[in-house]
Amino acid sequence: RPFGFPRSEIVEEEEHPGPGQNRVPVTMNSQENTTQRPAGGGKFGVIGVLLSFILGRLFPGFAVKRLVRALGSGSEETRTAAYMALVKLGPRNADRLLAEARAGHGTASILQALGDMGDRHVISDLEEFTKSSNAKVADAARESIEVLKSGEAE
């Protein structure tokens, strides 16, 4: 199943595909206590994402924080690369990602990445986010739970 790709704006509810279709990570917004980075990725960029991914194999805590920050980039390429890197770093980083989501950093995109990782152990953690007052976060959590239960993750 191919990765979804971030967009430069928040995805409206009707644009969320169903399970088994390309999923689109939701761009962070002010309700998630984050800001957009300037176009072009600011200081981070795709190269920074790739370096973080490589370093993530050795220093996962460092990499996850940098990749989550890159999810808020103004550059679509940077957001896409960060999302894909988080998924590829895999379930061993689920606890770190959940901690970032609970802190309000890139919550909806992180929840989608957790679903795309395919680790069913995070379903109970995702269920707590379905009660979020932020509709994008709640939708992302429900969608990831569906993907994990159906076995359609990457």
Side-chain angles (χ1 to χ4, degrees):
R1 195 164 85 56
F3 288 113
F5 294 100
R7 295 190 184 177
S8 60
E9 58 190 28
I10 295 175
V11 179
E12 298 299 324
E13 185 174 327
E14 62 271 6
E15 290 182 32
H16 280 276
Q21 297 174 349
N22 288 342
R23 293 176 356 125
V24 180
V26 179
T27 302
M28 297 183 286
N29 61 36
S30 60
Q31 292 176 345
E32 296 180 90
N33 301 324
T34 60
T35 57
Q36 289 276 325
R37 304 265 189 269
K43 294 180 183 176
F44 206 76
V46 174
I47 300 299
V49 168
L50 294 173
L51 289 173
S52 292
F53 174 72
I54 292 166
L55 288 172
R57 301 291 184 177
L58 300 172
F59 309 103
F62 167 80
V64 166
K65 285 188 179 295
R66 286 186 55 98
L67 292 170
V68 167
R69 190 176 81 210
L71 289 173
S73 169
S75 163
E76 184 172 347
E77 291 90 10
T78 301
R79 289 192 310 274
T80 299
Y83 181 84
M84 292 171 54
L86 285 170
V87 172
K88 289 294 185 186
L89 283 175
R92 70 184 178 130
N93 293 297
D95 289 339
R96 288 180 182 91
L97 287 172
L98 286 165
E100 290 291 326
R102 287 182 180 114
H105 304 289
T107 306
S109 294
I110 288 173
L111 299 180
Q112 286 184 332
L114 286 166
D116 284 339
M117 285 179 191
D119 183 6
R120 296 173 59 93
H121 293 98
V122 299
I123 290 176
S124 60
D125 294 300
L126 290 171
E127 287 173 348
E128 81 182 62
F129 290 99
T130 64
K131 300 174 183 97
S132 173
S133 60
N134 182 325
K136 303 298 180 200
V137 170
D139 288 345
R142 281 191 285 277
E143 187 177 312
S144 289
I145 291 169
E146 286 180 41
V147 167
L148 290 169
K149 286 183 176 179
S150 69
E152 296 177 0
E154 181 66 18

